[in-house]
Amino acid sequence: MTDKKKRQRGSRTHGGGTHKNRRGAGNRGGRGRAGRDKHEFHNYEPLGKHGFKRPQDVQEEVLTVGVRRLDEDAALLAADGLAEETDFGYRIDARDVVEDGHEADVVKVLGNGQVRNQLEVVADAFSASAVALIEEQGGEATLSDRAETAEPEEVSEDEDESDNEA
């Protein structure tokens, strides 16, 4: 088999179409990123700004820990002094377990895996599945003092109706 260079000997355009093609950059639509908003738009990201980024000072840092990890490491955490061993099981503060938990705005317990021990867990937030898993074994999911102060006050129905009348 012969190579491409040999095969194209004697050819005027070497497979490039008519002799008028391959003159300058016009044949390929321009140089570089030319045409990125016109004829080459499908090869590039959209132009201009899009999206929104919340300011850093209003973002909450939320750290998470799985209820499975709390359950599996309960004995080790009690040995290290990060959890208390009680008559029924273990009492664990999620802020003590998570790395940099005391600096975070919110520490949330997520429900993954299964729970075998009876746990009393204190955290700022819980997923519904985490509460179900903890209470299924007879444990208790308790909101921390920090979480209770951060919750907005609920408006009673009487006050809400009086606002609508005015």
Side-chain angles (χ1 to χ4, degrees):
M1 183 171 197
T2 59
D3 61 340
K4 187 174 182 181
K5 190 173 182 181
K6 272 242 198 265
R7 278 185 311 198
Q8 301 211 339
R9 288 280 187 212
S11 168
R12 181 175 180 184
T13 57
H14 294 275
T18 182
H19 67 283
K20 295 180 179 180
N21 293 348
R22 296 185 174 182
R23 286 185 181 172
N27 184 51
R28 61 179 153 133
R31 288 189 171 91
R33 291 171 55 96
R36 69 184 179 275
D37 58 338
K38 302 247 183 206
H39 58 278
E40 296 286 340
F41 70 94
H42 43 78
N43 296 332
Y44 296 95
E45 293 289 322
L47 289 176
K49 293 181 179 180
H50 60 281
F52 176 76
K53 184 169 181 178
R54 296 178 68 214
Q56 193 71 34
D57 57 337
V58 298
Q59 292 183 27
E60 284 190 338
E61 183 183 7
V62 179
L63 298 178
T64 60
V65 62
V67 74
R68 182 190 74 207
R69 179 176 168 219
L70 296 177
D71 181 55
E72 289 175 354
D73 296 346
L76 296 172
L77 294 170
D80 291 342
L82 298 175
E84 290 179 39
E85 190 168 358
T86 60
D87 297 335
F88 62 87
Y90 297 96
R91 177 177 170 74
I92 302 172
D93 187 353
R95 283 194 177 275
D96 295 335
V97 177
V98 178
E99 187 176 336
D100 296 331
H102 290 282
E103 283 81 38
D105 296 322
V106 177
V107 175
K108 184 172 183 175
V109 177
L110 304 178
N112 56 356
Q114 56 185 342
V115 177
R116 293 192 176 104
N117 297 314
Q118 210 171 359
L119 302 174
E120 185 180 335
V121 182
V122 178
D124 299 327
F126 292 90
S127 68
S129 56
V131 173
L133 287 170
I134 292 169
E135 291 178 350
E136 189 176 290
Q137 289 297 323
E140 187 178 338
T142 310
L143 288 176
S144 66
D145 298 333
R146 195 182 257 191
E148 291 171 357
T149 57
E151 288 182 15
E153 296 179 19
E154 293 183 22
V155 178
S156 67
E157 292 179 21
D158 298 333
E159 293 175 13
D160 192 32
E161 290 174 7
S162 62
D163 292 341
N164 292 338
E165 292 173 5

